């Protein structure tokens, strides 16, 4: 009889009860005695020198306890790119200059939110406006005003990739598919607005509760801006209401809460409102991509060249990483023997762009996958056949970047072709009705140490107790994706315990082992999961000794944990309850507790990621030829996320990604006018509601990823990529219109139809 | 819209300039069965009073413009956006927040059980509003069709789940309620 396994079980989330009863605490839900409320004064102009700031009237308002500007705090430049200090270009409050509409200029702390906001109106700032640049072309034009004095132009970073004989590939090509694409800025629209609450302790140390994906980054960067030691800052991450990449940097409200709390000796809380989020918050990069792919007559790809210009906004933050990722994802999915990439990261006087679900991959794959379908049309081939012909397989190497450990792309394509009825539908559905396809690949965590951490990328401490329970401590950050479910599930599996035997300690830099880089790039299941397994294995070895000794087992016997016991695998009657073994081990260890810490840092696995997921998606759409309205009638998805540790959690990721990605394709865009975001409420920024969602069928192609815990890898982030190009392809199939400038709108379709 | 006449950033929650001088009103409300007497400024919203004054923080403040539905509560049994409801409007009325959906003995409502079992919560920030809207739906339509569920959730945004498991959970709770009755 084999033991029960928790791997592949759709267990519910341990925090679900707190969430359905209103008991789950988010940062803004916390109220401390004496707490003050903060508010931020933002720049109303896109580019200006600050001639003067007068805060006297604000300070004099009854109830106002503190007002600070960039003149009152150290002008420490920060940013996630600690490895390249020149890329750290941001200060918490503007120093001398403002560079976008919404740039933080001053902060107020007052007895209540009304008073804080009233005080903002009493701060007088005199701006000397400067010429501004908003678009990529303007920013790169000769003589354009530049944003940062450290640069002589508006280019903050360039990235080049070159391999293979590219020129020859294009000279000998049968068909060259060449296109230019543009993409639009969109907002994460996480439901919980950003919030931070800080308290200065009596010894001068800082405790901050903040809505973040990355407690460790906040700890390091806040310490630096406050001129403290890292360990003098304690970051606590309460429940977080979504992030999607938008909460992985130190932000001005974190700093201002902490600085003012220390200054006045009372806790200070900032909570953004939705208009601040939409008007000034981080966003997915608007990108211009020029791409050409060389094909032989039979459809074999022989080379690809991609140029990308990313509108980075006024500051770098986390954003420049997308320059690398677009280059990387431009060369994924297919065997491309020769590749050239030129990426430019460009400053403009717009709100800074940053990480958002997929981070560069949605733009790169929108361009690349649209080209694959268009090339198929040009070559007279079926779009799925063309993809199958070129698709990557297990063991493929991307020169200098990565080796693909597991890959189910071909199987995904074949399966999605089958379940969607592709062969019967493509090009046959009739005018106004179409079907389209696109693929994706994504990373399972990043290898490149741009934060320049001196700690392991993931850490997990496991302690076991003689009552048969265990405790897992890790700084891995659940922001809704479910790591507080999956990591205990992995530990329960390793120790043969039930989920409710595992106590989780998380989200506190003072209580969890150093360190974990947080939630981004779909890294947590693989990296923190491996750290949990390593800690568990070490603990188990010490417990196994006890069982071997007790039963005087021959050295060839394997031991196993299961059903709350530890036993000899081939003599399962030789078993002892887990807690009793822990008691024995502690006695043997003169009372010292049994615990171990496991670490994971990706090594010797290229520059990008230890593992790659794959998938294929088909969209079936109906286009109203009179109005240009696109209705997505059905989605089909087949993905390879390795072994599904918890299918219900994987499905939740997949279903959520379709919502966000349909919004990206069809309804969401931040409407910009001279640096100002015009649509700043959810009435005007349209994320799909329940009734907008099409029916969706999904399947998995299971592979075993050798680098992942129990064979698992990324799920749900890469799916931010294929939906837009699949819908573009379906609209092309329905109307002959190929959208090269997202989003797809009725106006663009009607323009093509000549209506 | 985020700027005043002098082009100054003011956010969306601007108050009357003389808010401080405005007289507070005394209201009596029943929240989850508990009676409260409160002095409220005329511009305070119900969500503000629930969260800041009664410390019932289960009701979430997601947008302030009635678009996201995270602040949904029941007012005399009907769902409303508590961010669009002024506190002075609810004098003498009965409010149920997410904290009052389970029985006083802690027994969960079938919708809450179904949300847990079906994986309908991810980040959980929309969940209180979703649960309250669902409870209201099932109170008026005990066996809704899928499209009726989707329309009933039209005022509640979720960014994590794609709504699939939320819709499944509500349908399951409805079926369960019917079985319990039958």
């Amino acid at each position: 009889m084999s033991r029960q396994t928790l791997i592949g079980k759709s267990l519910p989330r341990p925090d679900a009860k707190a969430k359905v009863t209103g008991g789950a605490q988010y940062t803004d839900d916390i109220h401390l005695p004496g707490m003050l409320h903060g508010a931020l004064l933002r720049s109303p102009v896109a580019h200006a020198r600050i001639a003067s700031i007068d805060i006297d009237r604000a300070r004099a308002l009854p109830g106002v306890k503190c007002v600070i500007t960039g003149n009152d705090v150290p002008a420490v430049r920060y940013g996630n790119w600690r490895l390249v200090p020149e890329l750290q270009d941001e200060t918490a409050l503007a120093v001398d200059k403002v560079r976008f509409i919404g740039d933080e200029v001053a902060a107020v702390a007052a007895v209540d939110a009304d008073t804080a906001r009233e005080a903002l109106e009493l701060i007088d700032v005199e701006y000397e406006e400067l010429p501004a640049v908003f678009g990529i072309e303007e920013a790169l034009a000769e003589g354009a005003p530049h944003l940062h004095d450290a640069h002589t132009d508006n280019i903050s970073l360039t990235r080049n990739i070159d391999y293979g004989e590219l020129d020859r590939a294009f000279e000998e090509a049968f068909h060259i598919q060449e296109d230019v694409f543009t993409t639009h800025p969109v907002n994460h629209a996480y439901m919980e607005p950003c919030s931070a609450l800080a308290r200065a302790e009596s010894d001068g140390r800082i405790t901050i509760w903040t809505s973040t994906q990355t407690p460790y980054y906040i700890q390091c960067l806040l310490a630096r801006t406050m001129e403290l030691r890292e360990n003098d800052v304690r970051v606590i991450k309460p429940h977080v209401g979504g992030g999607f990449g938008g909460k992985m940097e130190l932000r001005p409200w974190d700093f201002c809460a902490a600085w003012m709390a220390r200054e006045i000796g009372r806790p200070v809380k900032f909570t953004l409102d939705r208009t601040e989020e939409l008007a000034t918050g981080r966003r997915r990069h608007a990108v211009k991509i020029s791409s050409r792919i060389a094909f032989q007559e039979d459809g074999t790809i022989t080379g690809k060249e991609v140029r990308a210009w990313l509108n980075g906004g006024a500051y770098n933050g986390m954003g420049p990483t997308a320059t690398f990722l677009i280059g990387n994802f431009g060369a994924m999915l297919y065997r491309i023997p020769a590749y050239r990439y030129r990426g430019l990261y460009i400053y403009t006087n717009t709100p800074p762009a940053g990480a958002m679900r997929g981070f560069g991959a949605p733009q790169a794959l929108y361009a690349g996958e649209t080209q694959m379908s268009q090339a198929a049309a040009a070559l007279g081939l079926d779009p799925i056949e063309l993809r199958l012909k070129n698709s990557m397989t297990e063991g493929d190497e991307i020169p200098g970047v990565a080796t693909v450990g597991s890959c189910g792309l071909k199987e995904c394509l074949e399966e999605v072709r089958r379940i969607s009825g592709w062969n019967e539908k493509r090009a046959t559905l009739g005018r106004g009705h179409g079907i389209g396809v696109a693929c994706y690949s994504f990373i399972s965590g990043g290898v490149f140490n741009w934060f320049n951490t001196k700690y392991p990328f993931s850490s997990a401490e496991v302690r076991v107790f003689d009552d048969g329970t265990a405790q897992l401590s890790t700084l891995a950050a659940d922001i809704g994706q479910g790591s507080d479910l999956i990591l205990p599930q992995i530990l329960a599996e390793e120790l043969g315990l039930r989920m409710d035997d595992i106590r989780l300690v998380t989200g506190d830099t003072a209580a969890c082992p150093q360190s974990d880089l947080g939630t981004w790039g779909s890294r947590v299941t693989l990296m923190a999961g491996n750290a949990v397994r390593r800690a568990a294995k070490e603990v188990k070895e010490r417990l196994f000794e006890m069982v071997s000794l007790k039963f005087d087992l021959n050295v060839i016997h394997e031991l196993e944990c299961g059903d709350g016991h530890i036993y000899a695998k081939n003599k399962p009657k030789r078993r002892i309850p887990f807690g009793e073994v822990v008691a024995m081990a502690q006695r043997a260890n003169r009372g010292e507790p049994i615990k171990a810490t496991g670490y994971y840092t990706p090594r010797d696995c290229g520059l990008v990621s230890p593992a790659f997921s794959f998938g294929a998606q088909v969209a079936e759409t109906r286009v109203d030829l009179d109005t240009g309205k696109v209705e997505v009638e059905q989605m089909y998805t087949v993905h390879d996320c390795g072994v599904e540790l918890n299918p219900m959690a994987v499905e939740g990721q997949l279903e959520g990604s379709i919502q966000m990605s349909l919004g990206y394709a069809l309804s969401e865009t931040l409407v910009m006018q001279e640096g100002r975001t015009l649509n700043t409420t959810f009435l005007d920024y349209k994320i799909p509601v329940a009734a907008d969602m099409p029916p969706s069928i999904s399947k998995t192609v299971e592979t075993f990823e050798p680098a992942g815990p129990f064979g698992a890898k990324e799920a749900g982030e890469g799916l931010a990529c294929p939906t837009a190009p699949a819908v573009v392809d379906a609209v092309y199939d329905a109307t002959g219109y190929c959208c090269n400038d997202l989003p797809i709108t009725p106006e663009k379709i009607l323009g093509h139809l000549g209506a | 819209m985020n700027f005043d006449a002098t082009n100054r950033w003011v956010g969306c929650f601007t108050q009357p300039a003389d808010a401080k001088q405005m007289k507070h009103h005394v209201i009596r409300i029943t929240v989850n069965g508990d009676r409260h007497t409160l002095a409220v400024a005329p511009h305070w919203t119900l969500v503000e009073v629930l969260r800041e004054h009664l410390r019932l923080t289960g009701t979430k403040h997601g947008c302030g413009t009635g678009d996201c539905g995270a602040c949904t509560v029941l007012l005399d049994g009907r769902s409303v956006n508590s961010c669009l409801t002024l506190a002075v409007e609810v004098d003498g009325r009965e409010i149920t927040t997410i904290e009052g959906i389970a029985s006083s003995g802690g027994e969960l409502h079938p919708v809450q059980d179904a949300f847990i079992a079906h994986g309908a919560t991810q980040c959980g920030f929309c969940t209180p509003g979703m649960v309250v809207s669902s409870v209201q739906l099932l109170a008026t339509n005990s066996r809704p069709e899928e499209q009726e569920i989707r329309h009933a959730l039209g005022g509640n945004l979720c960014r994590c789940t794609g709504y699939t498991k939320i819709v499944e959970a509500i349908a399951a709770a409805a079926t369960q309620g019917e079985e319990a009755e039958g």
Side-chain angles (χ1 to χ4, degrees):
Chain A
M1 191 191 78
S2 69
R3 62 187 283 270
Q4 280 285 319
T5 175
L6 295 177
I7 299 306
K9 292 270 188 307
S10 288
L11 305 176
R13 291 166 185 249
D15 62 7
K17 186 173 177 187
K19 286 174 174 172
V20 301
T21 56
Q25 201 170 47
Y26 300 77
T27 302
D28 188 55
D29 299 341
I30 302 169
H31 194 281
L32 297 179
M35 187 178 85
L36 301 171
H37 295 261
L40 290 159
L41 183 74
R42 298 173 178 280
S43 169
V45 292
H47 199 192
R49 198 161 289 288
I50 300 174
S52 67
I53 310 182
D54 184 350
I55 57 174
D56 290 347
R57 287 201 302 148
R59 262 194 185 141
L61 183 72
V64 170
K65 301 297 176 185
C66 189
V67 183
I68 56 172
T69 72
N71 298 327
D72 305 314
V73 298
V76 176
R77 290 183 194 283
Y78 63 87
N80 279 2
W81 269 82
R82 292 200 305 184
L83 187 67
V84 184
E86 307 89 82
L87 290 176
Q88 297 182 296
D89 58 10
E90 201 167 1
T91 55
L93 295 171
V95 177
D96 300 334
K97 267 175 92 172
V98 290
R99 295 180 177 85
F100 72 97
I101 292 174
D103 210 349
E104 292 83 359
V105 173
V108 173
V111 290
D112 55 42
D114 281 350
T115 308
R117 285 191 286 265
E118 193 181 339
L120 293 186
E121 298 180 35
L122 300 175
I123 298 173
D124 295 308
V125 188
E126 203 185 321
Y127 297 103
E128 284 167 11
E129 281 205 58
L130 299 167
V133 290
F134 306 111
I136 290 161
E137 282 80 7
E138 282 171 81
L140 293 179
E142 190 114 358
H146 61 267
L147 274 76
H148 292 273
D149 295 338
H151 293 261
T152 53
D153 55 26
N154 288 314
I155 297 168
S156 98
L157 179 133
T158 58
R159 165 76 172 158
N160 299 331
I161 303 173
D162 288 279
Y163 55 77
E165 294 183 61
L166 192 78
D167 294 335
R168 199 172 132 203
F170 281 105
E171 278 159 25
E172 295 175 359
F174 174 78
H175 171 69
I176 296 172
Q177 183 68 34
E178 186 163 5
D179 303 279
V180 177
F181 299 90
T182 59
T183 70
H184 55 309
V186 290
N187 186 261
H188 311 80
Y190 36 72
M191 284 295 117
E192 181 209 11
C194 288
S195 181
L197 163 61
R199 180 175 69 197
E201 308 298 351
S202 54
D203 58 9
R205 292 189 169 96
I206 295 291
T207 303
I208 182 165
W209 292 258
T210 182
S211 179
T212 184
Q213 308 176 208
T214 53
Y216 169 65
Y217 295 169
I218 304 293
Q219 180 188 24
C220 297
L221 296 175
L222 183 58
R224 185 168 144 69
T225 52
M226 298 275 293
E227 299 180 327
L228 290 168
R229 296 170 297 181
E230 281 177 11
N231 199 27
D232 290 337
V233 173
R234 176 183 182 186
V235 179
I236 299 174
K237 177 207 73 75
H239 282 289
V240 172
F244 311 109
K247 296 178 178 173
M248 60 177 293
E249 301 176 44
L250 180 76
R251 304 303 301 278
W253 44 92
D254 294 311
F255 170 84
C256 292
W259 182 271
M260 294 202 287
R262 188 170 69 180
E263 197 81 354
I264 47 188
R266 290 171 68 171
V268 178
K269 181 164 79 181
F270 282 79
T271 299
L272 265 55
D273 67 43
R274 186 58 65 183
T275 63
E276 286 180 288
E277 287 282 2
L278 287 168
T280 73
R282 299 291 199 241
R283 59 237 5 241
R284 181 178 283 161
H285 296 83
V287 183
K288 178 181 165 185
I289 293 176
S290 167
S291 176
R292 54 183 194 137
I293 310 175
F295 291 90
Q296 291 177 346
E297 190 170 4
D298 68 354
T300 303
I301 296 172
T302 52
K304 183 173 181 181
E305 180 175 22
V306 175
R307 294 173 64 88
W309 297 264
L310 292 85
N311 188 333
Y315 301 99
N316 282 324
M318 183 61 216
T321 318
T323 324
F324 291 74
L325 292 171
I326 288 176
N328 175 54
F329 287 103
M332 283 299 293
L333 286 173
Y334 309 110
R335 291 176 162 170
I336 299 172
Y339 183 59
R340 180 183 296 150
Y341 172 71
R342 299 284 177 269
L344 289 185
Y345 201 75
I346 298 156
Y347 286 125
T348 63
N349 293 106
T350 59
M356 179 173 163
R357 201 176 199 160
F359 202 11
Q363 297 95 325
L365 292 176
Y366 156 59
E369 285 299 278
T370 301
Q371 283 195 293
M372 286 300 282
S373 291
Q374 291 296 300
L379 290 160
L381 296 170
D382 176 78
I384 290 183
E385 278 303 323
L386 180 66
R387 286 172 168 87
L388 281 168
K389 181 164 200 62
N390 290 287
S391 98
M392 278 182 164
T393 56
E394 193 176 305
D396 277 359
E397 201 183 325
I398 309 151
V401 171
T403 302
V404 176
S406 61
C407 175
L409 179 58
K410 282 188 175 173
E411 294 81 356
C412 289
L413 274 163
E414 283 161 359
E415 186 64 5
V416 84
R417 176 165 63 184
R418 191 183 68 78
I419 64 171
S420 66
W422 175 271
N423 286 347
E424 296 75 53
K425 291 178 181 169
R426 177 72 174 187
T428 64
L429 289 173
R431 197 161 160 76
H433 192 184
I435 191 166
V437 66
C439 298
Y440 77 91
S441 171
F442 202 64
I443 57 176
S444 305
V447 171
F448 191 47
N449 189 8
W450 37 262
F451 195 70
N452 200 18
T453 182
K454 309 295 191 292
Y455 291 105
F457 277 27
S458 280
S459 312
E461 187 198 76
V462 171
R463 297 185 191 203
V464 288
F465 299 87
D466 68 2
D467 61 0
T469 65
Q471 176 172 296
L472 168 61
S473 314
T474 173
L475 203 54
D478 197 333
I479 58 168
Q481 87 279 24
S483 58
D484 286 356
L485 162 67
I486 295 301
L487 298 176
Q489 191 170 344
I490 288 173
L491 182 60
E493 168 68 15
E494 280 286 349
L495 299 182
L497 300 177
R498 296 182 313 239
M499 283 297 276
D500 64 4
D501 295 329
I502 310 291
R503 169 197 279 270
L504 180 67
V505 175
T506 185
D508 183 346
T509 58
C512 302
Q514 298 295 331
S515 193
D516 188 284
L517 300 186
T519 294
W520 50 266
S522 294
R523 58 179 297 284
V524 179
T525 296
L526 189 142
M527 296 195 184
N530 278 327
V532 170
R533 290 196 78 189
R534 287 176 186 179
K537 279 186 166 33
E538 202 177 309
V539 163
K540 280 161 71 172
E541 280 307 318
R542 295 173 67 186
L543 300 178
F544 286 174
E545 288 169 14
M546 297 298 123
V547 178
S548 281
L549 208 57
K550 170 85 177 178
F551 295 117
D552 194 23
L553 295 173
N554 189 308
V555 295
I556 62 164
H557 271 291
E558 184 57 283
L559 288 133
E560 209 166 64
C561 295
D563 198 21
H565 289 73
I566 300 178
Y567 52 89
K569 197 172 173 186
N570 293 322
K571 289 189 175 182
K573 284 185 183 158
R574 299 265 203 269
R575 60 190 240 154
I576 309 175
F578 188 87
E580 269 181 45
V581 184
V582 174
M584 291 160 66
Q586 282 185 192
R587 270 198 293 277
N589 203 27
R590 296 163 68 95
E592 290 182 18
I594 307 301
K595 60 178 183 178
T597 309
Y599 301 103
Y600 179 87
T601 302
R603 294 192 181 98
D604 196 25
C605 51
L607 290 172
V608 178
S609 181
F612 296 88
S613 59
F614 294 88
Q617 196 166 55
V618 164
E620 201 172 325
T621 64
R622 199 172 281 278
V623 181
D624 186 318
L625 299 173
D626 293 322
T627 65
K629 187 173 174 357
V630 176
E631 191 189 341
V632 178
E633 293 191 318
Q634 179 75 50
M635 297 296 298
Y636 305 90
T637 309
V638 182
H639 67 149
D640 156 29
C641 60
V643 173
E644 287 184 294
L645 302 185
N646 183 317
M648 186 163 77
V650 170
E651 287 159 20
Q653 287 295 306
L654 183 148
E655 290 153 3
S657 80
I658 291 177
Q659 190 262 14
M660 196 178 280
S661 308
L662 283 176
Y664 186 53
L666 294 166
S667 66
E668 295 178 34
T669 185
L670 291 165
V671 181
M672 302 299 295
Q673 187 181 63
E674 300 201 324
R676 179 166 301 180
T677 310
L678 299 181
N679 48 342
T680 61
T681 68
F682 281 140
L683 188 62
D684 298 318
Y685 185 86
K686 293 285 189 194
I687 80 171
V689 298
D692 295 329
M693 294 299 295
S696 170
I697 296 171
S698 65
K699 301 198 81 170
T700 54
V701 163
E702 195 160 285
T703 60
F704 186 91
E705 171 50 52
F710 300 105
K713 54 185 176 180
E714 181 273 336
E717 183 172 4
L719 278 160
C721 306
T723 310
V727 174
V728 166
D729 188 33
V731 169
Y732 168 75
D733 190 44
T735 64
Y737 165 62
C738 178
C739 178
N740 283 11
D741 53 340
L742 281 181
I744 309 162
T745 62
E747 291 87 340
K748 291 174 190 172
I749 291 174
L750 290 180
H752 168 82
L753 295 174
Chain B
M1 66 188 301
N2 309 310
F3 301 88
D4 66 11
T6 59
N7 207 25
R8 184 192 303 271
W9 175 274
V10 290
C12 77
F13 298 116
T14 49
Q15 49 174 338
D18 56 349
K20 287 269 152 150
Q21 283 73 50
M22 279 190 177
K23 216 176 109 201
H24 280 46
H25 293 250
V26 174
I27 60 168
R28 288 174 187 81
I29 54 175
T30 303
V31 182
N32 303 331
D34 296 335
R35 297 177 64 181
H36 300 273
T37 302
L38 300 162
V40 300
H43 66 283
W44 288 358
T45 57
L46 178 56
V47 67
E48 206 174 337
V49 168
L50 292 171
R51 289 180 53 81
E52 302 295 326
H53 300 271
L54 299 181
R55 303 275 158 82
L56 289 168
T57 54
T59 301
K60 302 303 180 202
H61 195 281
C63 72
T65 51
D67 296 312
C68 81
C71 67
T72 306
V73 298
L74 298 180
L75 180 61
D76 294 332
R78 292 194 56 184
S79 60
V80 296
N81 286 313
S82 59
C83 75
L84 294 185
T85 307
L86 290 172
V88 290
E89 290 177 82
V90 300
D91 187 20
R93 301 175 74 177
E94 198 164 312
I95 293 138
T96 306
T97 69
I98 185 65
E99 290 92 344
I101 296 294
S103 76
S104 53
E107 194 187 333
L108 298 186
H109 187 283
V111 164
Q112 292 172 312
D113 278 325
F115 267 57
I116 297 171
H118 287 262
T121 69
Q122 286 190 30
C123 85
F125 200 79
C126 77
T127 307
M130 286 285 182
V131 168
V132 171
S133 289
S134 309
V135 167
Q136 146 94 9
L137 167 68
L138 296 187
T140 54
N141 180 356
S142 62
R143 196 66 201 274
E145 301 286 328
E146 184 186 327
Q147 281 311 313
E148 291 176 314
I149 296 174
R150 290 183 178 274
H151 283 285
L153 299 181
N156 294 85
L157 298 178
C158 172
R159 194 56 152 173
C160 298
T161 65
Y163 309 98
T164 311
K165 299 206 183 300
I166 294 173
V167 172
E168 284 170 11
I170 297 166
T175 309
Q176 196 203 356
E178 194 168 75
E179 278 166 7
E181 279 166 29

